[in-house]
Amino acid sequence: LISFGCGPASAVAATPTEVMCSSAHVAHELAANGNPLAITLQPSDVKGERGVGLIRHLVESYFAMGGSHVHFNVADAEMMRQAQADPENHANLTVRVSGYSARFVTVERQWQEALIERAEKGM
């Protein structure tokens, strides 16, 4: 399995902070059009002022360490599974997939599964 952008392969379990610390030290200058890192956060982690502060801290820290470009998906695995089972009622669920945004229900099944796996592992 390969990773999205500069993130770990899906077989690697790590926290978002660990992933960001490692990814910040990739040779980003070798990627002509950027080297995106996609991180999945749980909706409960980013609620309210605490959540805003968390995202701000993650972004500022990542760039301070040398990271070049980060995307966040805010969805849990159950939400994405519900969208797979009932796409008509989840048509507005938008996710970031290595360099582009798409409606989850329009993404190929293999990439949906990869996004679900990342959400389950907190990456």
Short mmCIF file of all heavy atoms in Angstrom, two decimals, residues 43-110:
data_model
loop_
_atom_site.label_atom_id
_atom_site.label_comp_id
_atom_site.label_asym_id
_atom_site.label_seq_id
_atom_site.Cartn_x
_atom_site.Cartn_y
_atom_site.Cartn_z
N PRO A 43 -14.89 14.55 14.09
CA PRO A 43 -15.71 15.74 14.33
C PRO A 43 -15.68 16.19 15.79
O PRO A 43 -15.63 17.39 16.07
CB PRO A 43 -17.10 15.31 13.89
CG PRO A 43 -16.87 14.24 12.88
CD PRO A 43 -15.63 13.51 13.36
N SER A 44 -15.67 15.26 16.72
CA SER A 44 -15.66 15.61 18.14
C SER A 44 -14.37 16.31 18.56
O SER A 44 -14.35 17.07 19.53
CB SER A 44 -15.88 14.37 19.00
OG SER A 44 -14.85 13.41 18.75
N ASP A 45 -13.28 16.09 17.81
CA ASP A 45 -11.99 16.70 18.15
C ASP A 45 -11.91 18.16 17.75
O ASP A 45 -11.03 18.88 18.25
CB ASP A 45 -10.84 15.95 17.47
CG ASP A 45 -10.63 14.57 18.04
OD1 ASP A 45 -11.02 14.33 19.20
OD2 ASP A 45 -10.07 13.72 17.33
N VAL A 46 -12.75 18.60 16.84
CA VAL A 46 -12.61 19.96 16.32
C VAL A 46 -13.82 20.85 16.61
O VAL A 46 -14.00 21.88 15.98
CB VAL A 46 -12.29 19.94 14.80
CG1 VAL A 46 -10.96 19.29 14.56
CG2 VAL A 46 -13.38 19.24 14.02
N LYS A 47 -14.62 20.46 17.58
CA LYS A 47 -15.79 21.27 17.95
C LYS A 47 -15.38 22.47 18.78
O LYS A 47 -14.48 22.40 19.61
CB LYS A 47 -16.78 20.43 18.76
CG LYS A 47 -17.61 19.51 17.93
CD LYS A 47 -18.68 18.86 18.78
CE LYS A 47 -19.56 18.01 17.91
NZ LYS A 47 -20.59 17.34 18.67
N GLY A 48 -16.07 23.56 18.55
CA GLY A 48 -15.94 24.74 19.38
C GLY A 48 -14.59 25.41 19.34
O GLY A 48 -13.77 25.17 18.46
N GLU A 49 -14.35 26.27 20.34
CA GLU A 49 -13.10 27.03 20.42
C GLU A 49 -11.90 26.12 20.58
O GLU A 49 -10.83 26.38 20.04
CB GLU A 49 -13.17 28.04 21.57
CG GLU A 49 -14.11 29.19 21.30
CD GLU A 49 -13.71 29.99 20.07
OE1 GLU A 49 -12.53 30.33 19.93
OE2 GLU A 49 -14.60 30.26 19.24
N ARG A 50 -12.05 25.05 21.35
CA ARG A 50 -10.95 24.10 21.53
C ARG A 50 -10.55 23.50 20.19
O ARG A 50 -9.37 23.36 19.88
CB ARG A 50 -11.36 22.99 22.50
CG ARG A 50 -10.24 22.00 22.75
CD ARG A 50 -10.75 20.80 23.59
NE ARG A 50 -9.85 19.71 23.51
CZ ARG A 50 -9.78 18.84 22.50
NH1 ARG A 50 -10.60 18.93 21.49
NH2 ARG A 50 -8.91 17.85 22.51
N GLY A 51 -11.53 23.16 19.38
CA GLY A 51 -11.26 22.58 18.07
C GLY A 51 -10.56 23.55 17.14
O GLY A 51 -9.64 23.19 16.41
N VAL A 52 -11.01 24.80 17.15
CA VAL A 52 -10.36 25.84 16.34
C VAL A 52 -8.90 25.98 16.76
O VAL A 52 -8.00 26.06 15.93
CB VAL A 52 -11.12 27.18 16.46
CG1 VAL A 52 -10.32 28.31 15.81
CG2 VAL A 52 -12.50 27.07 15.86
N GLY A 53 -8.66 25.98 18.06
CA GLY A 53 -7.30 26.08 18.58
C GLY A 53 -6.45 24.90 18.18
O GLY A 53 -5.26 25.04 17.85
N LEU A 54 -7.04 23.71 18.19
CA LEU A 54 -6.32 22.50 17.80
C LEU A 54 -5.86 22.58 16.35
O LEU A 54 -4.68 22.35 16.05
CB LEU A 54 -7.19 21.26 18.00
CG LEU A 54 -6.62 19.96 17.41
CD1 LEU A 54 -5.46 19.46 18.24
CD2 LEU A 54 -7.70 18.91 17.28
N ILE A 55 -6.77 22.92 15.46
CA ILE A 55 -6.40 23.02 14.04
C ILE A 55 -5.35 24.10 13.84
O ILE A 55 -4.37 23.90 13.11
CB ILE A 55 -7.65 23.25 13.17
CG1 ILE A 55 -8.51 21.98 13.17
CG2 ILE A 55 -7.25 23.64 11.75
CD1 ILE A 55 -9.80 22.09 12.42
N ARG A 56 -5.54 25.23 14.48
CA ARG A 56 -4.56 26.31 14.35
C ARG A 56 -3.17 25.84 14.80
O ARG A 56 -2.17 26.07 14.13
CB ARG A 56 -5.00 27.52 15.17
CG ARG A 56 -4.02 28.65 15.11
CD ARG A 56 -4.50 29.84 15.88
NE ARG A 56 -3.44 30.82 15.92
CZ ARG A 56 -3.26 31.67 16.88
NH1 ARG A 56 -4.11 31.71 17.89
NH2 ARG A 56 -2.27 32.52 16.85
N HIS A 57 -3.11 25.18 15.95
CA HIS A 57 -1.83 24.69 16.47
C HIS A 57 -1.21 23.67 15.51
O HIS A 57 0.00 23.72 15.25
CB HIS A 57 -2.03 24.08 17.85
CG HIS A 57 -0.78 23.52 18.44
ND1 HIS A 57 0.25 24.30 18.89
CD2 HIS A 57 -0.39 22.24 18.60
CE1 HIS A 57 1.23 23.52 19.31
NE2 HIS A 57 0.86 22.26 19.16
N LEU A 58 -2.00 22.75 15.00
CA LEU A 58 -1.48 21.74 14.07
C LEU A 58 -0.90 22.40 12.81
O LEU A 58 0.21 22.06 12.38
CB LEU A 58 -2.57 20.74 13.68
CG LEU A 58 -3.00 19.75 14.75
CD1 LEU A 58 -4.23 18.97 14.30
CD2 LEU A 58 -1.87 18.80 15.12
N VAL A 59 -1.64 23.33 12.23
CA VAL A 59 -1.18 23.98 11.00
C VAL A 59 0.08 24.80 11.26
O VAL A 59 1.08 24.67 10.53
CB VAL A 59 -2.30 24.87 10.40
CG1 VAL A 59 -1.77 25.74 9.28
CG2 VAL A 59 -3.46 24.00 9.90
N GLU A 60 0.06 25.63 12.29
CA GLU A 60 1.22 26.48 12.56
C GLU A 60 2.45 25.64 12.90
O GLU A 60 3.56 25.94 12.43
CB GLU A 60 0.92 27.45 13.71
CG GLU A 60 -0.05 28.55 13.30
CD GLU A 60 -0.44 29.47 14.45
OE1 GLU A 60 -0.10 29.17 15.62
OE2 GLU A 60 -1.10 30.49 14.16
N SER A 61 2.28 24.59 13.65
CA SER A 61 3.41 23.72 14.01
C SER A 61 3.96 22.99 12.79
O SER A 61 5.18 22.90 12.61
CB SER A 61 2.98 22.70 15.07
OG SER A 61 2.58 23.35 16.25
N TYR A 62 3.07 22.49 11.95
CA TYR A 62 3.50 21.77 10.75
C TYR A 62 4.33 22.67 9.85
O TYR A 62 5.41 22.28 9.39
CB TYR A 62 2.27 21.22 10.01
CG TYR A 62 2.60 20.36 8.82
CD1 TYR A 62 3.32 19.18 8.99
CD2 TYR A 62 2.19 20.70 7.55
CE1 TYR A 62 3.62 18.37 7.91
CE2 TYR A 62 2.49 19.89 6.46
CZ TYR A 62 3.21 18.73 6.65
OH TYR A 62 3.51 17.93 5.58
N PHE A 63 3.87 23.88 9.61
CA PHE A 63 4.62 24.80 8.75
C PHE A 63 5.93 25.23 9.43
O PHE A 63 6.95 25.36 8.76
CB PHE A 63 3.79 26.00 8.37
CG PHE A 63 2.64 25.66 7.44
CD1 PHE A 63 1.49 26.41 7.46
CD2 PHE A 63 2.71 24.60 6.56
CE1 PHE A 63 0.43 26.11 6.61
CE2 PHE A 63 1.67 24.28 5.71
CZ PHE A 63 0.52 25.04 5.73
N ALA A 64 5.92 25.44 10.72
CA ALA A 64 7.14 25.83 11.44
C ALA A 64 8.21 24.74 11.37
O ALA A 64 9.40 25.03 11.34
CB ALA A 64 6.81 26.16 12.89
N MET A 65 7.77 23.47 11.28
CA MET A 65 8.72 22.35 11.18
C MET A 65 9.20 22.11 9.76
O MET A 65 10.06 21.28 9.53
CB MET A 65 8.07 21.06 11.71
CG MET A 65 7.87 21.05 13.20
SD MET A 65 7.24 19.46 13.79
CE MET A 65 5.59 19.42 13.09
N GLY A 66 8.59 22.80 8.78
CA GLY A 66 9.02 22.62 7.40
C GLY A 66 8.00 21.97 6.49
O GLY A 66 8.29 21.73 5.32
N GLY A 67 6.83 21.67 7.00
CA GLY A 67 5.77 21.10 6.17
C GLY A 67 5.36 22.08 5.09
O GLY A 67 5.49 23.29 5.26
N SER A 68 4.85 21.53 3.98
CA SER A 68 4.54 22.42 2.86
C SER A 68 3.06 22.61 2.60
O SER A 68 2.66 23.65 2.10
CB SER A 68 5.21 21.93 1.58
OG SER A 68 4.61 20.73 1.15
N HIS A 69 2.23 21.57 2.94
CA HIS A 69 0.82 21.71 2.56
C HIS A 69 0.04 20.58 3.23
O HIS A 69 0.46 19.46 3.21
CB HIS A 69 0.91 21.75 1.09
CG HIS A 69 0.00 21.29 0.10
ND1 HIS A 69 0.38 21.29 -1.21
CD2 HIS A 69 -1.25 20.86 0.10
CE1 HIS A 69 -0.59 20.89 -1.95
NE2 HIS A 69 -1.58 20.62 -1.19
N VAL A 70 -1.03 20.99 3.91
CA VAL A 70 -1.81 20.03 4.70
C VAL A 70 -3.30 20.23 4.42
O VAL A 70 -3.77 21.34 4.23
CB VAL A 70 -1.50 20.16 6.22
CG1 VAL A 70 -1.86 21.52 6.76
CG2 VAL A 70 -2.16 19.06 7.03
N HIS A 71 -4.00 19.11 4.38
CA HIS A 71 -5.46 19.10 4.19
C HIS A 71 -6.06 18.32 5.35
O HIS A 71 -5.49 17.34 5.80
CB HIS A 71 -5.86 18.37 2.90
CG HIS A 71 -5.17 18.85 1.70
ND1 HIS A 71 -5.47 20.03 1.09
CD2 HIS A 71 -4.18 18.31 0.97
CE1 HIS A 71 -4.71 20.19 0.03
NE2 HIS A 71 -3.91 19.17 -0.06
N PHE A 72 -7.23 18.74 5.78
CA PHE A 72 -7.92 18.03 6.84
C PHE A 72 -9.25 17.49 6.33
O PHE A 72 -10.00 18.21 5.67
CB PHE A 72 -8.20 18.95 8.03
CG PHE A 72 -6.96 19.42 8.72
CD1 PHE A 72 -6.46 20.68 8.49
CD2 PHE A 72 -6.29 18.58 9.60
CE1 PHE A 72 -5.32 21.12 9.12
CE2 PHE A 72 -5.15 19.01 10.25
CZ PHE A 72 -4.66 20.28 10.00
N ASN A 73 -9.53 16.24 6.64
CA ASN A 73 -10.87 15.68 6.51
C ASN A 73 -11.42 15.64 7.92
O ASN A 73 -10.74 15.19 8.85
CB ASN A 73 -10.83 14.26 5.93
CG ASN A 73 -10.60 14.25 4.45
OD1 ASN A 73 -11.11 15.11 3.73
ND2 ASN A 73 -9.85 13.29 3.97
N VAL A 74 -12.63 16.12 8.09
CA VAL A 74 -13.29 16.05 9.38
C VAL A 74 -14.50 15.15 9.21
O VAL A 74 -15.56 15.57 8.77
CB VAL A 74 -13.70 17.45 9.90
CG1 VAL A 74 -14.40 17.34 11.25
CG2 VAL A 74 -12.47 18.36 10.00
N ALA A 75 -14.27 13.89 9.49
CA ALA A 75 -15.31 12.87 9.33
C ALA A 75 -14.86 11.64 10.10
O ALA A 75 -13.67 11.37 10.21
CB ALA A 75 -15.50 12.51 7.86
N ASP A 76 -15.82 10.90 10.61
CA ASP A 76 -15.45 9.65 11.24
C ASP A 76 -15.81 8.49 10.33
O ASP A 76 -16.54 8.64 9.35
CB ASP A 76 -16.06 9.51 12.64
CG ASP A 76 -17.58 9.53 12.64
OD1 ASP A 76 -18.21 9.10 11.64
OD2 ASP A 76 -18.16 9.95 13.65
N ALA A 77 -15.26 7.34 10.63
CA ALA A 77 -15.44 6.16 9.79
C ALA A 77 -16.92 5.80 9.66
O ALA A 77 -17.38 5.44 8.57
CB ALA A 77 -14.64 4.99 10.35
N GLU A 78 -17.67 5.92 10.74
CA GLU A 78 -19.09 5.58 10.70
C GLU A 78 -19.86 6.48 9.75
O GLU A 78 -20.73 6.03 9.00
CB GLU A 78 -19.70 5.62 12.11
CG GLU A 78 -21.15 5.21 12.16
CD GLU A 78 -21.42 3.81 11.59
OE1 GLU A 78 -20.55 2.93 11.67
OE2 GLU A 78 -22.52 3.61 11.04
N MET A 79 -19.53 7.76 9.74
CA MET A 79 -20.17 8.71 8.84
C MET A 79 -19.93 8.30 7.37
O MET A 79 -20.84 8.33 6.54
CB MET A 79 -19.60 10.11 9.09
CG MET A 79 -20.22 11.22 8.29
SD MET A 79 -19.37 12.82 8.57
CE MET A 79 -19.44 12.99 10.33
N MET A 80 -18.69 7.89 7.07
CA MET A 80 -18.37 7.48 5.71
C MET A 80 -19.04 6.16 5.34
O MET A 80 -19.49 5.97 4.21
CB MET A 80 -16.86 7.43 5.52
CG MET A 80 -16.23 8.82 5.51
SD MET A 80 -14.47 8.82 5.17
CE MET A 80 -13.81 8.83 6.83
N ARG A 81 -19.14 5.25 6.30
CA ARG A 81 -19.85 3.98 6.03
C ARG A 81 -21.33 4.23 5.75
O ARG A 81 -21.93 3.59 4.89
CB ARG A 81 -19.68 3.03 7.20
CG ARG A 81 -18.34 2.36 7.21
CD ARG A 81 -18.37 1.11 8.10
NE ARG A 81 -17.05 0.56 8.10
CZ ARG A 81 -16.07 0.91 8.95
NH1 ARG A 81 -16.30 1.83 9.87
NH2 ARG A 81 -14.89 0.36 8.89
N GLN A 82 -21.92 5.16 6.50
CA GLN A 82 -23.32 5.51 6.25
C GLN A 82 -23.48 6.09 4.85
O GLN A 82 -24.46 5.80 4.17
CB GLN A 82 -23.81 6.50 7.30
CG GLN A 82 -23.99 5.90 8.66
CD GLN A 82 -24.32 6.92 9.73
OE1 GLN A 82 -24.44 8.11 9.46
NE2 GLN A 82 -24.43 6.46 10.97
N ALA A 83 -22.51 6.88 4.42
CA ALA A 83 -22.56 7.46 3.07
C ALA A 83 -22.45 6.38 2.01
O ALA A 83 -23.10 6.46 0.96
CB ALA A 83 -21.46 8.50 2.90
N GLN A 84 -21.65 5.34 2.26
CA GLN A 84 -21.55 4.23 1.31
C GLN A 84 -22.89 3.49 1.21
O GLN A 84 -23.32 3.14 0.12
CB GLN A 84 -20.48 3.23 1.75
CG GLN A 84 -19.06 3.64 1.46
CD GLN A 84 -18.08 2.59 1.93
OE1 GLN A 84 -18.25 1.97 2.99
NE2 GLN A 84 -17.03 2.40 1.15
N ALA A 85 -23.51 3.28 2.35
CA ALA A 85 -24.76 2.53 2.38
C ALA A 85 -25.95 3.32 1.86
O ALA A 85 -26.88 2.74 1.30
CB ALA A 85 -25.04 2.06 3.81
N ASP A 86 -25.92 4.62 2.03
CA ASP A 86 -27.06 5.46 1.66
C ASP A 86 -26.56 6.75 1.00
O ASP A 86 -26.66 7.83 1.57
CB ASP A 86 -27.88 5.77 2.91
CG ASP A 86 -29.17 6.50 2.62
OD1 ASP A 86 -29.57 6.58 1.44
OD2 ASP A 86 -29.77 7.01 3.59
N PRO A 87 -25.99 6.64 -0.20
CA PRO A 87 -25.36 7.80 -0.85
C PRO A 87 -26.31 8.97 -1.09
O PRO A 87 -25.89 10.13 -1.03
CB PRO A 87 -24.82 7.26 -2.16
CG PRO A 87 -25.37 5.90 -2.33
CD PRO A 87 -25.89 5.44 -1.01
N GLU A 88 -27.59 8.71 -1.34
CA GLU A 88 -28.53 9.79 -1.61
C GLU A 88 -28.66 10.75 -0.44
O GLU A 88 -28.85 11.95 -0.63
CB GLU A 88 -29.92 9.23 -1.99
CG GLU A 88 -29.95 8.45 -3.28
CD GLU A 88 -29.44 7.01 -3.11
OE1 GLU A 88 -29.51 6.43 -2.00
OE2 GLU A 88 -28.95 6.46 -4.11
N ASN A 89 -28.58 10.23 0.78
CA ASN A 89 -28.73 11.06 1.96
C ASN A 89 -27.40 11.61 2.50
O ASN A 89 -27.39 12.26 3.54
CB ASN A 89 -29.45 10.30 3.07
CG ASN A 89 -30.93 10.15 2.74
OD1 ASN A 89 -31.55 11.08 2.24
ND2 ASN A 89 -31.48 8.98 3.00
N HIS A 90 -26.31 11.33 1.80
CA HIS A 90 -25.00 11.82 2.22
C HIS A 90 -24.24 12.44 1.04
O HIS A 90 -23.02 12.47 1.02
CB HIS A 90 -24.18 10.67 2.82
CG HIS A 90 -24.78 10.14 4.08
ND1 HIS A 90 -25.76 9.17 4.08
CD2 HIS A 90 -24.57 10.46 5.37
CE1 HIS A 90 -26.11 8.90 5.31
NE2 HIS A 90 -25.40 9.67 6.12
N ALA A 91 -24.98 12.94 0.09
CA ALA A 91 -24.37 13.47 -1.14
C ALA A 91 -23.47 14.67 -0.88
O ALA A 91 -22.58 14.96 -1.69
CB ALA A 91 -25.46 13.84 -2.14
N ASN A 92 -23.64 15.38 0.22
CA ASN A 92 -22.85 16.58 0.49
C ASN A 92 -21.58 16.32 1.29
O ASN A 92 -20.83 17.26 1.55
CB ASN A 92 -23.69 17.63 1.20
CG ASN A 92 -24.73 18.21 0.28
OD1 ASN A 92 -24.52 18.28 -0.92
ND2 ASN A 92 -25.86 18.59 0.84
N LEU A 93 -21.32 15.07 1.69
CA LEU A 93 -20.10 14.77 2.44
C LEU A 93 -18.90 14.94 1.51
O LEU A 93 -18.72 14.19 0.56
CB LEU A 93 -20.15 13.35 3.00
CG LEU A 93 -18.91 12.88 3.75
CD1 LEU A 93 -18.60 13.79 4.93
CD2 LEU A 93 -19.08 11.44 4.20
N THR A 94 -18.11 15.95 1.78
CA THR A 94 -16.94 16.26 0.95
C THR A 94 -15.68 15.86 1.69
O THR A 94 -15.55 16.09 2.88
CB THR A 94 -16.90 17.77 0.62
OG1 THR A 94 -18.12 18.13 -0.04
CG2 THR A 94 -15.73 18.12 -0.27
N VAL A 95 -14.77 15.22 0.96
CA VAL A 95 -13.50 14.78 1.54
C VAL A 95 -12.34 15.27 0.69
O VAL A 95 -12.50 15.58 -0.48
CB VAL A 95 -13.44 13.24 1.66
CG1 VAL A 95 -14.44 12.72 2.68
CG2 VAL A 95 -13.66 12.57 0.31
N ARG A 96 -11.20 15.31 1.31
CA ARG A 96 -9.97 15.67 0.61
C ARG A 96 -9.25 14.39 0.25
O ARG A 96 -9.02 13.53 1.09
CB ARG A 96 -9.10 16.54 1.53
CG ARG A 96 -7.96 17.17 0.85
CD ARG A 96 -8.44 18.30 -0.02
NE ARG A 96 -7.31 18.86 -0.72
CZ ARG A 96 -7.39 19.76 -1.66
NH1 ARG A 96 -8.56 20.24 -2.00
NH2 ARG A 96 -6.33 20.19 -2.25
N VAL A 97 -8.93 14.24 -1.03
CA VAL A 97 -8.23 13.06 -1.52
C VAL A 97 -6.97 13.55 -2.22
O VAL A 97 -7.05 14.13 -3.29
CB VAL A 97 -9.09 12.25 -2.52
CG1 VAL A 97 -8.36 10.99 -2.95
CG2 VAL A 97 -10.45 11.93 -1.94
N SER A 98 -5.84 13.40 -1.58
CA SER A 98 -4.53 13.75 -2.12
C SER A 98 -4.55 14.77 -3.26
O SER A 98 -4.38 14.45 -4.42
CB SER A 98 -3.81 12.49 -2.58
OG SER A 98 -2.46 12.80 -2.87
N GLY A 99 -4.77 16.01 -2.91
CA GLY A 99 -4.67 17.08 -3.89
C GLY A 99 -5.97 17.59 -4.46
O GLY A 99 -5.98 18.57 -5.18
N TYR A 100 -7.07 16.94 -4.18
CA TYR A 100 -8.35 17.45 -4.68
C TYR A 100 -9.46 17.11 -3.69
O TYR A 100 -9.34 16.21 -2.88
CB TYR A 100 -8.68 16.88 -6.06
CG TYR A 100 -9.00 15.40 -6.09
CD1 TYR A 100 -10.33 14.96 -6.04
CD2 TYR A 100 -8.00 14.43 -6.17
CE1 TYR A 100 -10.63 13.61 -6.06
CE2 TYR A 100 -8.30 13.09 -6.20
CZ TYR A 100 -9.61 12.68 -6.15
OH TYR A 100 -9.92 11.35 -6.17
N SER A 101 -10.52 17.87 -3.75
CA SER A 101 -11.70 17.60 -2.93
C SER A 101 -12.76 16.96 -3.79
O SER A 101 -12.86 17.25 -4.98
CB SER A 101 -12.26 18.91 -2.34
OG SER A 101 -11.35 19.46 -1.45
N ALA A 102 -13.53 16.06 -3.19
CA ALA A 102 -14.58 15.37 -3.93
C ALA A 102 -15.71 15.00 -2.98
O ALA A 102 -15.51 14.89 -1.77
CB ALA A 102 -14.03 14.10 -4.58
N ARG A 103 -16.87 14.82 -3.55
CA ARG A 103 -17.99 14.28 -2.77
C ARG A 103 -17.65 12.82 -2.49
O ARG A 103 -17.32 12.07 -3.40
CB ARG A 103 -19.31 14.37 -3.55
CG ARG A 103 -19.67 15.76 -3.97
CD ARG A 103 -20.05 16.62 -2.82
NE ARG A 103 -20.44 17.93 -3.31
CZ ARG A 103 -20.92 18.88 -2.56
NH1 ARG A 103 -21.07 18.67 -1.28
NH2 ARG A 103 -21.24 20.03 -3.09
N PHE A 104 -17.72 12.43 -1.23
CA PHE A 104 -17.33 11.09 -0.84
C PHE A 104 -18.03 10.02 -1.68
O PHE A 104 -17.40 9.07 -2.12
CB PHE A 104 -17.62 10.87 0.65
CG PHE A 104 -17.22 9.50 1.13
CD1 PHE A 104 -15.91 9.21 1.43
CD2 PHE A 104 -18.18 8.50 1.28
CE1 PHE A 104 -15.53 7.95 1.86
CE2 PHE A 104 -17.82 7.24 1.71
CZ PHE A 104 -16.49 6.97 2.00
N VAL A 105 -19.31 10.20 -1.93
CA VAL A 105 -20.07 9.17 -2.64
C VAL A 105 -19.66 9.02 -4.10
O VAL A 105 -20.02 8.03 -4.75
CB VAL A 105 -21.60 9.40 -2.52
CG1 VAL A 105 -22.04 9.33 -1.06
CG2 VAL A 105 -22.01 10.72 -3.16
N THR A 106 -18.89 9.97 -4.64
CA THR A 106 -18.44 9.88 -6.04
C THR A 106 -17.03 9.30 -6.17
O THR A 106 -16.58 9.02 -7.27
CB THR A 106 -18.46 11.26 -6.73
OG1 THR A 106 -17.48 12.10 -6.13
CG2 THR A 106 -19.84 11.89 -6.65
N VAL A 107 -16.36 9.13 -5.04
CA VAL A 107 -14.99 8.60 -5.05
C VAL A 107 -15.05 7.09 -5.24
O VAL A 107 -15.93 6.41 -4.71
CB VAL A 107 -14.29 8.96 -3.72
CG1 VAL A 107 -12.91 8.34 -3.62
CG2 VAL A 107 -14.21 10.47 -3.55
N GLU A 108 -14.10 6.54 -6.00
CA GLU A 108 -14.06 5.09 -6.23
C GLU A 108 -14.02 4.34 -4.91
O GLU A 108 -13.42 4.80 -3.94
CB GLU A 108 -12.84 4.72 -7.06
CG GLU A 108 -12.94 5.15 -8.51
CD GLU A 108 -11.74 4.67 -9.31
OE1 GLU A 108 -11.30 3.52 -9.12
OE2 GLU A 108 -11.26 5.46 -10.13
N ARG A 109 -14.64 3.18 -4.89
CA ARG A 109 -14.78 2.39 -3.67
C ARG A 109 -13.44 2.13 -2.98
O ARG A 109 -13.34 2.21 -1.76
CB ARG A 109 -15.50 1.07 -3.99
CG ARG A 109 -15.78 0.19 -2.81
CD ARG A 109 -16.87 0.76 -1.96
NE ARG A 109 -17.20 -0.13 -0.87
CZ ARG A 109 -18.40 -0.26 -0.38
NH1 ARG A 109 -19.40 0.42 -0.88
NH2 ARG A 109 -18.62 -1.06 0.62
N GLN A 110 -12.39 1.85 -3.73
CA GLN A 110 -11.09 1.56 -3.10
C GLN A 110 -10.56 2.77 -2.33
O GLN A 110 -9.95 2.63 -1.27
CB GLN A 110 -10.05 1.11 -4.13
CG GLN A 110 -9.58 2.23 -5.05
CD GLN A 110 -8.59 1.73 -6.10
OE1 GLN A 110 -8.63 0.59 -6.52
NE2 GLN A 110 -7.70 2.61 -6.50
#
